[in-house]
Protein backbone atom coordinates (compact mmCIF):
# COMPACT_ATOMS: atom_id res chain seq x y z
CA UNK A 1 0.00 0.00 0.00
CA UNK A 2 1.48 3.44 -0.89
CA UNK A 3 2.55 5.35 2.24
CA UNK A 4 0.09 8.20 1.68
CA UNK A 5 -2.92 5.86 1.41
CA UNK A 6 -1.66 3.89 4.43
CA UNK A 7 -1.37 7.08 6.48
CA UNK A 8 -4.83 8.30 5.49
CA UNK A 9 -6.34 4.94 6.40
CA UNK A 10 -4.65 4.41 9.73
CA UNK A 11 -3.81 7.90 10.92
CA UNK A 12 -6.74 10.22 11.34
CA UNK A 13 -6.41 13.24 13.56
CA UNK A 14 -8.80 13.33 16.48
CA UNK A 15 -11.37 16.10 16.09
CA UNK A 16 -12.28 18.12 19.16
CA UNK A 17 -15.03 20.74 19.17
CA UNK A 18 -14.60 23.24 22.03
CA UNK A 19 -17.33 25.75 22.88
CA UNK A 20 -16.45 28.99 24.70
CA UNK A 21 -13.17 29.21 22.79
CA UNK A 22 -12.66 32.92 23.50
CA UNK A 23 -13.02 32.38 27.25
CA UNK A 24 -10.37 31.23 29.72
CA UNK A 25 -10.81 27.45 29.69
CA UNK A 26 -11.69 27.11 26.02
CA UNK A 27 -8.47 28.84 25.03
CA UNK A 28 -6.37 26.94 27.56
CA UNK A 29 -7.80 23.57 26.50
CA UNK A 30 -7.23 24.37 22.82
CA UNK A 31 -3.62 25.34 23.53
CA UNK A 32 -3.03 22.14 25.49
CA UNK A 33 -4.52 19.91 22.76
CA UNK A 34 -2.78 21.70 19.88
CA UNK A 35 0.57 21.07 21.60
CA UNK A 36 -0.03 17.33 21.11
CA UNK A 37 0.20 17.75 17.31
CA UNK A 38 -2.30 15.01 16.40
CA UNK A 39 -5.54 16.79 17.28
CA UNK A 40 -7.63 19.12 15.15
CA UNK A 41 -9.41 21.71 17.28
CA UNK A 42 -12.60 23.47 16.21
CA UNK A 43 -13.19 26.48 18.46
CA UNK A 44 -16.81 27.58 18.62
CA UNK A 45 -17.58 31.27 19.11
CA UNK A 46 -20.75 33.32 18.95
CA UNK A 47 -21.14 35.78 16.12
CA UNK A 48 -20.67 39.20 17.67
CA UNK A 49 -19.92 42.73 16.51
CA UNK A 50 -16.57 43.00 18.28
CA UNK A 51 -15.21 39.62 19.39
CA UNK A 52 -12.20 39.70 21.70
CA UNK A 53 -9.52 37.36 20.30
CA UNK A 54 -6.93 38.12 23.02
CA UNK A 55 -7.10 34.65 24.58
CA UNK A 56 -6.49 32.79 21.30
CA UNK A 57 -3.87 35.01 19.71
CA UNK A 58 -1.05 32.54 20.53
CA UNK A 59 -2.56 29.75 18.38
CA UNK A 60 -5.15 31.38 16.12
CA UNK A 61 -3.00 30.67 13.05
CA UNK A 62 -2.10 27.09 14.01
CA UNK A 63 -2.84 24.86 11.01
CA UNK A 64 -4.76 22.45 13.24
CA UNK A 65 -7.06 25.16 14.61
CA UNK A 66 -10.27 26.45 13.10
CA UNK A 67 -12.86 28.93 14.37
CA UNK A 68 -16.49 27.96 13.78
CA UNK A 69 -19.69 29.90 14.49
CA UNK A 70 -22.29 28.58 16.89
CA UNK A 71 -24.52 29.62 19.75
CA UNK A 72 -25.50 27.42 22.69
CA UNK A 73 -28.93 29.08 22.68
CA UNK A 74 -29.58 27.85 19.17
CA UNK A 75 -30.22 24.14 18.57
CA UNK A 76 -29.84 24.43 14.80
CA UNK A 77 -26.28 25.75 15.06
CA UNK A 78 -25.19 23.01 17.48
CA UNK A 79 -26.92 20.31 15.41
CA UNK A 80 -25.26 21.36 12.19
CA UNK A 81 -21.79 21.62 13.76
CA UNK A 82 -21.99 18.10 15.19
CA UNK A 83 -23.53 16.72 11.99
CA UNK A 84 -20.96 18.33 9.69
CA UNK A 85 -17.76 18.16 11.75
CA UNK A 86 -18.39 14.69 13.26
CA UNK A 87 -16.22 15.50 16.31
CA UNK A 88 -14.71 12.75 18.46
CA UNK A 89 -15.04 15.00 21.52
CA UNK A 90 -17.30 17.94 22.34
CA UNK A 91 -15.91 19.94 25.26
CA UNK A 92 -18.49 22.46 26.41
CA UNK A 93 -16.86 25.46 28.10
CA UNK A 94 -19.34 27.98 26.73
CA UNK A 95 -21.49 29.45 29.48
CA UNK A 96 -22.86 32.52 31.09
CA UNK A 97 -20.21 31.96 33.77
CA UNK A 98 -20.27 35.06 35.99
CA UNK A 99 -22.22 34.18 39.13
CA UNK A 100 -22.69 37.84 40.12
CA UNK A 101 -24.86 38.75 37.12
CA UNK A 102 -26.85 35.52 37.15
CA UNK A 103 -29.55 37.11 39.35
CA UNK A 104 -30.04 39.82 36.70
CA UNK A 105 -30.55 37.44 33.76
CA UNK A 106 -31.73 34.13 35.30
CA UNK A 107 -33.61 32.84 32.28
CA UNK A 108 -30.76 33.55 29.90
CA UNK A 109 -28.39 31.76 32.31
CA UNK A 110 -30.70 28.75 32.38
CA UNK A 111 -31.04 28.75 28.60
CA UNK A 112 -27.29 28.85 27.89
CA UNK A 113 -25.95 26.83 30.82
CA UNK A 114 -28.63 24.13 31.02
CA UNK A 115 -30.34 24.38 27.64
CA UNK A 116 -26.94 24.61 25.94
CA UNK A 117 -25.86 21.33 27.54
CA UNK A 118 -29.09 19.62 26.45
CA UNK A 119 -28.63 20.98 22.90
CA UNK A 120 -25.13 19.46 22.80
CA UNK A 121 -26.40 16.13 24.16
CA UNK A 122 -29.26 16.04 21.66
CA UNK A 123 -26.93 16.83 18.75
CA UNK A 124 -24.59 14.02 19.84
CA UNK A 125 -27.45 11.58 20.33
CA UNK A 126 -28.82 12.31 16.87
CA UNK A 127 -25.70 12.79 14.76
CA UNK A 128 -22.58 11.32 16.47
CA UNK A 129 -23.47 9.05 19.39
CA UNK A 130 -19.87 7.97 19.94
CA UNK A 131 -18.71 11.59 20.41
CA UNK A 132 -17.45 12.03 23.99
CA UNK A 133 -19.07 14.97 25.82
CA UNK A 134 -17.69 17.14 28.62
CA UNK A 135 -19.90 19.44 30.67
CA UNK A 136 -18.18 21.90 33.04
CA UNK A 137 -19.91 21.54 36.38
CA UNK A 138 -19.16 23.88 39.25
CA UNK A 139 -18.49 23.97 42.98
CA UNK A 140 -21.13 26.73 42.93
CA UNK A 141 -23.65 23.84 42.70
CA UNK A 142 -22.81 22.94 46.31
CA UNK A 143 -24.02 26.19 47.90
CA UNK A 144 -23.79 26.57 51.65
CA UNK A 145 -21.77 23.47 52.24
CA UNK A 146 -22.63 20.72 54.73
CA UNK A 147 -19.04 19.59 55.32
CA UNK A 148 -15.44 20.28 54.34
CA UNK A 149 -13.65 19.36 52.23
CA UNK A 150 -16.38 18.77 49.63
CA UNK A 151 -16.24 15.67 47.46
CA UNK A 152 -18.34 14.40 44.54
CA UNK A 153 -20.97 13.04 46.96
CA UNK A 154 -21.68 16.42 48.56
CA UNK A 155 -25.39 17.36 48.25
CA UNK A 156 -26.28 19.72 45.41
CA UNK A 157 -27.89 22.83 46.95
CA UNK A 158 -27.14 25.88 44.81
CA UNK A 159 -27.52 29.48 46.04
CA UNK A 160 -27.46 31.35 42.73
CA UNK A 161 -29.27 31.09 39.38
CA UNK A 162 -25.87 30.16 37.96
CA UNK A 163 -25.42 27.33 40.48
CA UNK A 164 -28.97 26.10 39.81
CA UNK A 165 -28.35 26.11 36.04
CA UNK A 166 -25.24 23.95 36.49
CA UNK A 167 -27.07 21.61 38.87
CA UNK A 168 -29.82 21.08 36.28
CA UNK A 169 -27.17 20.43 33.63
CA UNK A 170 -25.65 17.81 35.96
CA UNK A 171 -28.94 15.89 36.08
CA UNK A 172 -29.42 16.11 32.30
CA UNK A 173 -25.93 14.71 31.63
CA UNK A 174 -26.66 11.79 33.96
CA UNK A 175 -30.04 11.15 32.28
CA UNK A 176 -28.49 11.10 28.79
CA UNK A 177 -25.55 8.97 29.93
CA UNK A 178 -27.88 6.36 31.41
CA UNK A 179 -30.62 6.54 28.75
CA UNK A 180 -28.49 6.55 25.61
CA UNK A 181 -25.22 5.06 26.82
CA UNK A 182 -23.28 8.23 25.89
CA UNK A 183 -19.76 8.96 27.13
CA UNK A 184 -20.86 12.11 28.95
CA UNK A 185 -19.16 13.63 31.99
CA UNK A 186 -20.17 16.54 34.26
CA UNK A 187 -17.37 17.11 36.72
CA UNK A 188 -17.22 19.54 39.63
CA UNK A 189 -14.61 22.18 38.95
CA UNK A 190 -13.64 24.37 41.87
CA UNK A 191 -12.45 27.90 41.04
CA UNK A 192 -9.61 28.09 38.57
CA UNK A 193 -7.88 31.16 37.32
CA UNK A 194 -4.89 32.35 35.32
CA UNK A 195 -3.68 35.02 32.96
CA UNK A 196 -6.62 34.45 30.58
CA UNK A 197 -9.19 34.97 33.36
CA UNK A 198 -12.03 37.45 32.64
CA UNK A 199 -11.62 40.80 34.37
CA UNK A 200 -15.00 40.62 36.16
CA UNK A 201 -13.88 37.68 38.36
CA UNK A 202 -12.41 38.66 41.71
CA UNK A 203 -8.87 37.30 41.22
CA UNK A 204 -8.27 39.09 37.92
CA UNK A 205 -10.04 42.21 39.17
CA UNK A 206 -7.57 42.25 42.08
CA UNK A 207 -4.40 41.56 40.08
CA UNK A 208 -5.30 44.11 37.38
CA UNK A 209 -5.92 46.81 39.98
CA UNK A 210 -2.79 45.88 41.96
CA UNK A 211 -0.77 46.43 38.78
CA UNK A 212 -2.40 49.82 38.15
CA UNK A 213 -1.81 50.94 41.75
CA UNK A 214 1.81 49.74 41.69
CA UNK A 215 2.38 51.72 38.49
CA UNK A 216 0.74 54.82 40.00
CA UNK A 217 2.79 54.61 43.22
CA UNK A 218 6.06 54.14 41.28
CA UNK A 219 5.29 57.17 39.14
CA UNK A 220 3.81 59.45 41.83
CA UNK A 221 0.38 59.36 40.20
CA UNK A 222 -2.96 59.41 41.99
CA UNK A 223 -5.18 56.29 41.99
CA UNK A 224 -8.57 55.00 43.13
CA UNK A 225 -8.47 52.11 45.65
CA UNK A 226 -9.57 48.60 44.68
CA UNK A 227 -13.27 48.16 45.58
CA UNK A 228 -14.55 44.77 46.66
CA UNK A 229 -17.64 43.11 48.11
CA UNK A 230 -17.44 40.16 50.51
CA UNK A 231 -13.75 39.69 51.35
CA UNK A 232 -14.52 36.99 53.94
CA UNK A 233 -15.67 34.47 51.37
CA UNK A 234 -13.30 31.57 50.84
CA UNK A 235 -12.50 29.78 47.61
CA UNK A 236 -10.45 26.77 46.51
CA UNK A 237 -8.38 28.44 43.76
CA UNK A 238 -6.26 26.56 41.21
CA UNK A 239 -4.64 27.28 37.87
CA UNK A 240 -6.86 26.65 34.84
CA UNK A 241 -4.10 24.90 32.85
CA UNK A 242 -3.77 22.27 35.59
CA UNK A 243 -7.51 21.65 35.33
CA UNK A 244 -7.41 21.29 31.54
CA UNK A 245 -5.03 18.34 31.94
CA UNK A 246 -7.48 16.80 34.40
CA UNK A 247 -10.44 17.33 32.08
CA UNK A 248 -8.62 15.64 29.19
CA UNK A 249 -7.79 12.67 31.42
CA UNK A 250 -11.48 12.40 32.40
CA UNK A 251 -12.41 12.31 28.73
CA UNK A 252 -10.10 9.40 27.98
CA UNK A 253 -11.08 6.71 30.45
CA UNK A 254 -12.71 3.34 29.69
CA UNK A 255 -15.97 4.49 31.26
CA UNK A 256 -17.37 7.97 31.91
CA UNK A 257 -17.23 9.10 35.54
CA UNK A 258 -17.71 12.47 37.24
CA UNK A 259 -14.75 13.78 39.27
CA UNK A 260 -13.93 16.80 41.43
CA UNK A 261 -10.94 18.93 40.44
CA UNK A 262 -9.62 21.16 43.21
CA UNK A 263 -6.43 22.28 44.91
CA UNK A 264 -7.69 20.92 48.27
CA UNK A 265 -6.83 24.26 49.91
CA UNK A 266 -9.01 27.25 50.71
CA UNK A 267 -8.15 30.96 50.94
CA UNK A 268 -10.20 34.08 51.57
CA UNK A 269 -10.56 36.99 49.14
CA UNK A 270 -8.88 39.07 51.88
CA UNK A 271 -5.87 36.73 51.73
CA UNK A 272 -5.70 36.93 47.93
CA UNK A 273 -5.58 40.75 48.15
CA UNK A 274 -2.78 40.68 50.72
CA UNK A 275 -0.64 38.26 48.70
CA UNK A 276 -1.17 40.09 45.42
CA UNK A 277 -0.08 43.46 46.85
CA UNK A 278 2.84 41.86 48.69
CA UNK A 279 4.09 40.25 45.47
CA UNK A 280 3.91 43.65 43.73
CA UNK A 281 6.11 44.99 46.54
CA UNK A 282 3.32 47.09 48.06
CA UNK A 283 2.92 45.42 51.46
CA UNK A 284 -0.19 46.40 53.40
CA UNK A 285 -2.56 45.47 56.21
CA UNK A 286 -6.33 45.13 56.61
CA UNK A 287 -7.83 47.18 59.46
CA UNK A 288 -11.27 48.43 60.55
CA UNK A 289 -14.52 46.49 60.59
CA UNK A 290 -17.41 45.58 58.31
CA UNK A 291 -18.10 48.10 55.57
CA UNK A 292 -15.33 50.33 56.97
CA UNK A 293 -12.59 47.75 56.64
CA UNK A 294 -9.68 48.98 54.53
CA UNK A 295 -6.37 47.69 53.25
CA UNK A 296 -3.68 50.31 53.78
CA UNK A 297 -0.02 50.59 52.88
CA UNK A 298 1.98 49.18 55.82
CA UNK A 299 2.48 51.91 58.50
CA UNK A 300 0.92 54.55 56.24
CA UNK A 301 -2.57 55.92 55.73
CA UNK A 302 -2.77 55.34 51.97
CA UNK A 303 -5.83 53.20 51.19
CA UNK A 304 -5.22 50.45 48.62
CA UNK A 305 -8.51 48.55 48.91
CA UNK A 306 -11.92 49.16 50.46
CA UNK A 307 -15.38 47.64 50.66
CA UNK A 308 -18.23 48.66 48.38
CA UNK A 309 -21.70 47.29 49.10
CA UNK A 310 -22.44 47.24 45.36
CA UNK A 311 -20.27 44.14 44.95
CA UNK A 312 -22.16 42.04 47.51
CA UNK A 313 -24.47 39.34 46.10
CA UNK A 314 -28.11 38.61 47.03
CA UNK A 315 -26.89 35.24 48.40
CA UNK A 316 -23.32 34.11 48.94
CA UNK A 317 -21.47 30.81 48.93
CA UNK A 318 -19.24 31.45 51.94
CA UNK A 319 -16.81 28.56 51.84
CA UNK A 320 -15.53 26.26 49.10
CA UNK A 321 -12.86 23.69 49.83
CA UNK A 322 -12.57 20.70 47.52
CA UNK A 323 -11.46 17.11 47.89
CA UNK A 324 -10.06 15.81 44.59
CA UNK A 325 -8.59 12.59 46.00
CA UNK A 326 -10.35 10.25 43.48
CA UNK A 327 -9.07 12.28 40.50
CA UNK A 328 -5.56 12.08 41.96
CA UNK A 329 -5.72 8.36 42.73
CA UNK A 330 -7.71 7.07 39.73
CA UNK A 331 -6.66 9.47 36.95
CA UNK A 332 -3.12 10.10 38.21
CA UNK A 333 -3.89 13.84 38.07
CA UNK A 334 -2.38 16.41 40.39
CA UNK A 335 -2.16 20.19 40.20
CA UNK A 336 1.33 21.58 39.60
CA UNK A 337 0.78 25.26 40.31
CA UNK A 338 0.45 26.32 43.95
CA UNK A 339 -1.79 29.12 45.20
CA UNK A 340 1.21 31.42 45.69
CA UNK A 341 2.51 30.72 42.18
CA UNK A 342 -0.95 31.37 40.74
CA UNK A 343 -1.22 34.76 42.44
CA UNK A 344 2.34 35.66 41.41
CA UNK A 345 1.85 34.71 37.75
CA UNK A 346 -1.37 36.72 37.53
CA UNK A 347 0.20 39.79 39.17
CA UNK A 348 3.32 39.57 36.96
CA UNK A 349 1.16 39.26 33.85
CA UNK A 350 -0.94 42.31 34.77
CA UNK A 351 2.16 44.34 35.73
CA UNK A 352 3.63 43.61 32.27
CA UNK A 353 0.35 44.51 30.50
CA UNK A 354 0.02 47.71 32.55
CA UNK A 355 3.60 48.84 31.82
CA UNK A 356 3.15 48.10 28.11
CA UNK A 357 -0.12 50.04 27.93
CA UNK A 358 1.31 53.06 29.75
CA UNK A 359 4.61 53.21 27.84
P1 LIG B 1 -15.47 32.23 30.54
O1 LIG B 1 -14.07 32.75 30.48
O2 LIG B 1 -16.55 33.17 30.99
O3 LIG B 1 -15.84 31.68 29.08
C1 LIG B 1 -17.15 31.34 28.74
C2 LIG B 1 -17.30 31.49 27.24
O4 LIG B 1 -18.63 31.09 26.90
C3 LIG B 1 -17.14 32.92 26.72
O5 LIG B 1 -16.12 32.97 25.76
C4 LIG B 1 -18.49 33.24 26.10
O6 LIG B 1 -18.41 33.88 24.85
C5 LIG B 1 -19.05 31.87 25.82
N1 LIG B 1 -20.51 31.91 25.72
C6 LIG B 1 -21.38 32.57 26.50
N2 LIG B 1 -22.63 32.41 26.05
C7 LIG B 1 -22.55 31.63 24.95
C8 LIG B 1 -23.50 31.14 24.01
N3 LIG B 1 -24.79 31.42 24.12
N4 LIG B 1 -23.06 30.38 23.00
C9 LIG B 1 -21.75 30.10 22.86
N5 LIG B 1 -20.79 30.54 23.70
C10 LIG B 1 -21.19 31.31 24.73
O7 LIG B 1 -15.58 30.96 31.47
P2 LIG B 1 -14.41 29.95 31.93
O8 LIG B 1 -13.84 30.43 33.20
O9 LIG B 1 -13.55 29.67 30.78
O10 LIG B 1 -15.27 28.67 32.30
C11 LIG B 1 -15.47 27.62 31.36
C12 LIG B 1 -16.62 26.74 31.83
O11 LIG B 1 -16.32 26.19 33.10
C13 LIG B 1 -17.96 27.48 32.02
O12 LIG B 1 -18.99 26.58 31.74
C14 LIG B 1 -17.97 27.78 33.51
O13 LIG B 1 -19.31 27.95 33.96
C15 LIG B 1 -17.32 26.53 34.04
N6 LIG B 1 -16.63 26.66 35.33
C16 LIG B 1 -15.65 27.58 35.46
C17 LIG B 1 -14.97 27.67 36.67
C18 LIG B 1 -13.84 28.66 36.87
O14 LIG B 1 -13.45 28.87 38.02
N7 LIG B 1 -13.28 29.23 35.82
C19 LIG B 1 -15.31 26.80 37.74
C20 LIG B 1 -16.34 25.89 37.55
C21 LIG B 1 -16.99 25.81 36.33
P3 LIG B 1 -18.14 35.45 24.65
O15 LIG B 1 -16.67 35.53 24.60
O16 LIG B 1 -18.81 35.71 23.36
O17 LIG B 1 -18.78 36.14 25.81
O1 LIG C 1 -14.39 35.48 41.29
P1 LIG C 1 -15.83 35.27 41.58
O2 LIG C 1 -16.78 36.12 40.83
O3 LIG C 1 -16.09 33.72 41.40
P2 LIG C 1 -17.25 32.74 41.90
O4 LIG C 1 -18.50 33.46 42.23
O5 LIG C 1 -16.67 31.89 42.96
O6 LIG C 1 -17.53 31.90 40.59
C1 LIG C 1 -16.46 31.35 39.83
O7 LIG C 1 -16.17 30.08 40.34
C2 LIG C 1 -17.25 29.13 40.19
C3 LIG C 1 -16.77 27.82 40.81
O8 LIG C 1 -16.96 27.86 42.20
C4 LIG C 1 -17.55 28.99 38.71
F1 LIG C 1 -18.49 28.03 38.52
C5 LIG C 1 -17.99 30.33 38.14
O9 LIG C 1 -18.21 30.21 36.74
C6 LIG C 1 -16.88 31.34 38.37
O10 LIG C 1 -15.78 31.00 37.57
O11 LIG C 1 -16.11 35.54 43.13
C7 LIG C 1 -15.38 34.85 44.13
C8 LIG C 1 -15.76 35.40 45.49
C9 LIG C 1 -17.28 35.48 45.74
O12 LIG C 1 -17.54 35.04 47.03
C10 LIG C 1 -17.59 36.95 45.62
O13 LIG C 1 -18.71 37.39 46.37
O14 LIG C 1 -15.29 36.74 45.59
C11 LIG C 1 -16.30 37.54 46.16
N1 LIG C 1 -16.09 38.93 45.77
C12 LIG C 1 -15.85 39.94 46.65
N2 LIG C 1 -15.74 41.10 45.97
C13 LIG C 1 -16.13 39.43 44.54
C14 LIG C 1 -15.90 40.81 44.66
N3 LIG C 1 -16.31 38.83 43.34
C15 LIG C 1 -16.26 39.62 42.23
N4 LIG C 1 -16.40 39.03 41.03
N5 LIG C 1 -16.06 40.96 42.30
C16 LIG C 1 -15.86 41.62 43.50
O15 LIG C 1 -15.69 42.82 43.54
Amino acid sequence: MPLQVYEEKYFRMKKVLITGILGQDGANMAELLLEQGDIHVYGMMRRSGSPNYTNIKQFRNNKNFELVDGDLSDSASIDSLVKELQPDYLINFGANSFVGVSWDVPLSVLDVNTGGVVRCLEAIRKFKPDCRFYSAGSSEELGNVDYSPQDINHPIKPRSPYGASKAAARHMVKVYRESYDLYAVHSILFNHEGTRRGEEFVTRKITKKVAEIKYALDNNLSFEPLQLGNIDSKRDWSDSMDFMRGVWLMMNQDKPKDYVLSSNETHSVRDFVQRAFTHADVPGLWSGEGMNEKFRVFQENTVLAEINEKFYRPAEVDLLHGDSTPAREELGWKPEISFDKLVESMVDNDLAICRKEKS
Side-chain angles (χ1 to χ4, degrees):
M1 193 184 290
L3 186 62
Q4 197 187 339
V5 178
Y6 177 86
E7 279 181 349
E8 277 173 15
K9 192 166 176 198
Y10 293 105
F11 177 76
R12 186 178 69 73
M13 287 183 112
K14 280 183 196 144
K15 292 187 280 186
V16 182
L17 173 59
I18 302 177
T19 70
I21 194 67
L22 302 184
Q24 170 185 260
D25 290 358
N28 281 343
M29 180 57 96
E31 188 166 82
L32 181 81
L33 298 182
L34 288 168
E35 275 167 14
Q36 297 195 20
D38 59 350
I39 294 178
H40 192 90
V41 175
Y42 298 96
M44 190 186 98
M45 58 176 277
R46 297 187 273 186
R47 269 188 195 281
S48 107
S50 50
N52 183 346
Y53 295 111
T54 309
N55 279 347
I56 64 164
K57 63 177 189 263
Q58 288 86 350
F59 57 81
R60 196 175 164 189
N61 295 322
N62 187 306
K63 65 178 181 0
N64 294 329
F65 178 70
E66 228 171 295
L67 278 172
V68 292
D69 288 326
D71 193 319
L72 286 162
S73 309
D74 173 41
S75 304
S77 71
I78 306 299
D79 278 359
S80 72
L81 281 175
V82 173
K83 192 173 173 185
E84 281 163 28
L85 302 178
Q86 292 286 297
D88 300 295
Y89 300 81
L90 199 175
I91 300 181
N92 183 37
F93 283 136
N96 205 324
S97 78
F98 185 36
V99 176
V101 299
S102 70
W103 282 270
D104 301 333
V105 285
L107 285 172
S108 160
V109 167
L110 207 59
D111 185 36
V112 176
N113 297 5
T114 314
V117 165
V118 179
R119 289 179 187 105
C120 292
L121 288 163
E122 271 293 289
I124 289 171
R125 180 184 72 78
K126 288 187 288 190
F127 303 116
K128 185 75 165 75
D130 64 345
C131 172
R132 294 188 168 202
F133 178 65
Y134 180 77
S135 165
S138 167
S139 43
E140 188 67 19
E141 293 171 48
L142 310 179
N144 262 355
V145 298
D146 289 350
Y147 57 84
S148 278
Q150 297 91 44
D151 55 18
I152 200 76
N153 300 315
H154 189 282
I156 302 295
K157 32 189 287 213
R159 303 251 301 155
S160 61
Y162 169 86
S165 74
K166 290 284 181 179
R170 157 176 311 284
H171 294 302
M172 291 309 285
V173 169
K174 180 172 178 288
V175 167
Y176 272 68
R177 184 166 64 211
E178 292 172 359
S179 308
Y180 304 115
D181 199 23
L182 301 184
Y183 193 111
V185 168
H186 180 96
S187 63
I188 289 197
L189 303 180
F190 280 69
N191 295 53
H192 49 283
E193 320 290 315
T195 53
R196 286 177 167 135
R197 187 57 148 151
E199 292 174 9
E200 64 275 38
F201 300 96
V202 79
T203 55
R204 190 73 194 278
K205 177 175 171 180
I206 294 168
T207 59
K208 189 165 185 272
K209 191 71 183 175
V210 165
E212 282 170 25
I213 292 177
K214 167 70 174 163
Y215 185 87
L217 288 170
D218 286 351
N219 293 280
N220 286 320
L221 302 169
S222 61
F223 64 86
E224 290 297 317
L226 167 67
Q227 299 205 335
L228 292 169
N230 180 10
I231 57 170
D232 290 321
S233 86
K234 290 181 141 188
R235 290 292 180 270
D236 180 327
W237 279 299
S238 299
D239 186 280
S240 164
M241 223 21 142
D242 274 339
F243 274 26
M244 296 308 103
R245 288 187 297 101
V247 167
W248 190 237
L249 284 168
M250 266 182 236
M251 294 305 285
N252 289 287
Q253 301 305 304
D254 291 340
K255 287 194 177 136
K257 182 174 170 187
D258 297 338
Y259 287 93
V260 162
L261 294 183
S262 62
S263 74
N264 296 358
E265 287 179 21
T266 189
H267 300 270
S268 63
V269 174
R270 170 200 307 277
D271 191 20
F272 196 106
V273 170
Q274 182 126 26
R275 286 183 198 228
F277 274 110
T278 303
H279 183 64
D281 208 15
V282 187
L285 280 180
W286 285 103
S287 61
E289 275 186 23
M291 297 303 292
N292 294 320
E293 192 166 358
K294 294 188 194 310
F295 188 72
R296 293 186 166 84
V297 176
F298 189 57
Q299 292 183 332
E300 283 182 33
N301 217 7
T302 314
V303 176
L304 300 168
E306 61 191 12
I307 309 301
N308 184 336
E309 209 171 353
K310 171 172 118 179
F311 297 109
Y312 273 80
R313 296 173 179 179
E316 180 64 275
V317 169
D318 297 318
L319 164 71
L320 290 173
H321 181 187
D323 175 2
S324 51
T325 306
R328 294 168 192 237
E329 290 180 356
E330 295 167 23
L331 302 177
W333 172 82
K334 95 170 172 341
E336 284 168 3
I337 298 166
S338 66
F339 174 70
D340 283 352
K341 281 270 169 295
L342 171 68
V343 179
E344 288 165 18
S345 67
M346 290 181 73
V347 170
D348 288 344
N349 174 63
D350 279 322
L351 284 169
I353 292 174
C354 184
R355 286 191 198 112
K356 200 170 162 199
E357 280 173 0
K358 308 268 185 195
S359 66

